[in-house]
Amino acid sequence: LVYEARLAPVDGFAFAVQAFFAEGGRGCNVTVPFKEEAWRLAAVRSARAEKAGAVNTLLTDAEGRLVGDNTDGSGLVRDLVQNASVTLANRRVLLLGAGGAVRGVLGPLLAERPREIVIANRTPEKAVTLAQLFADEGAVTAVTFDALEGPFDVVINGTSASLQGALPPL
């Protein structure tokens, strides 16, 4: 098994995936900014990828079809609960951002039965859309950063700004 990073050009992700599998690749992980494009490329998607609208894992099945999954949420929950001994049940959770990363973790976080998840985002529309999409799975509300009211038991930064070392305006 060889696991190595590959840099795909922003305008050439589909070609990079095609080349990877043509070279004998068996599966790959996908990160920003390509998760939504990976979702569109996948001919078959898991239920959690479907709801997340994003894919972070690609492989091919026996028929050669591209299969997409999203393990972001299950990985985050496992790390928090098992590795860091963080209790999520009956806790108030602040989730910063409303992009693909947040969409991918919402379902698994809600499955842990927090008292409430508050999605805070720079623009309220995306946060409101996510809160509505996941409302049937638990208590989810949406606010702008300016409208935040604490305290929170757990804070998760899902903003893309942190990739450049920037912090959310809290």
Side-chain angles (χ1 to χ4, degrees), residues 2-65:
V2 175
Y3 189 80
E4 63 186 16
R6 289 190 177 195
L7 183 60
V10 173
D11 59 350
F13 176 71
F15 178 77
V17 168
Q18 182 182 30
F20 171 77
F21 285 106
E23 294 165 11
R26 304 275 309 231
C28 63
N29 294 121
V30 179
T31 192
V32 293
F34 301 118
K35 291 180 182 187
E36 292 173 0
E37 187 173 352
W39 183 88
R40 289 188 297 273
L41 286 175
V44 179
R45 295 183 285 267
S46 69
R48 58 189 177 189
E50 200 63 53
K51 183 132 191 191
V55 161
N56 76 333
T57 305
L58 290 169
L59 57 95
T60 53
D61 65 10
E63 289 86 43
R65 298 176 301 179

Side-chain angles (χ1 to χ4, degrees), residues 2 8 20 36 48 53 70 75 79 108 110 132 149 151 162-163 167:
V2 175
F20 171 77
E36 292 173 0
R48 58 189 177 189
N70 188 310
D79 197 38
L110 286 164
Q132 291 170 343
E149 292 184 22
S162 61
L163 296 173
L167 295 174

Side-chain angles (χ1 to χ4, degrees), residues 6-161:
R6 289 190 177 195
L7 183 60
V10 173
D11 59 350
F13 176 71
F15 178 77
V17 168
Q18 182 182 30
F20 171 77
F21 285 106
E23 294 165 11
R26 304 275 309 231
C28 63
N29 294 121
V30 179
T31 192
V32 293
F34 301 118
K35 291 180 182 187
E36 292 173 0
E37 187 173 352
W39 183 88
R40 289 188 297 273
L41 286 175
V44 179
R45 295 183 285 267
S46 69
R48 58 189 177 189
E50 200 63 53
K51 183 132 191 191
V55 161
N56 76 333
T57 305
L58 290 169
L59 57 95
T60 53
D61 65 10
E63 289 86 43
R65 298 176 301 179
L66 201 56
V67 178
D69 193 8
N70 188 310
T71 60
D72 286 335
S74 59
L76 174 65
V77 167
R78 181 181 175 135
D79 197 38
L80 288 171
V81 173
Q82 292 182 8
N83 297 340
S85 300
V86 172
T87 300
L88 295 170
N90 203 33
R91 301 287 194 233
R92 192 159 186 246
V93 177
L94 173 59
L95 195 48
L96 303 172
V102 168
R103 191 170 173 165
V105 302
L106 259 170
L109 285 171
L110 286 164
E112 293 295 311
R113 302 292 171 224
R115 182 172 68 245
E116 177 185 27
I117 293 180
V118 176
I119 304 169
N121 196 49
R122 185 176 32 87
T123 56
E125 297 82 17
K126 288 179 78 175
V128 168
T129 298
L130 283 182
Q132 291 170 343
L133 180 65
F134 286 87
D136 62 331
E137 297 182 38
V140 186
T141 57
V143 298
T144 61
F145 290 122
D146 295 339
L148 271 174
E149 292 184 22
F152 294 95
D153 301 298
V154 178
V155 178
I156 300 169
N157 184 2
T159 65
S160 60

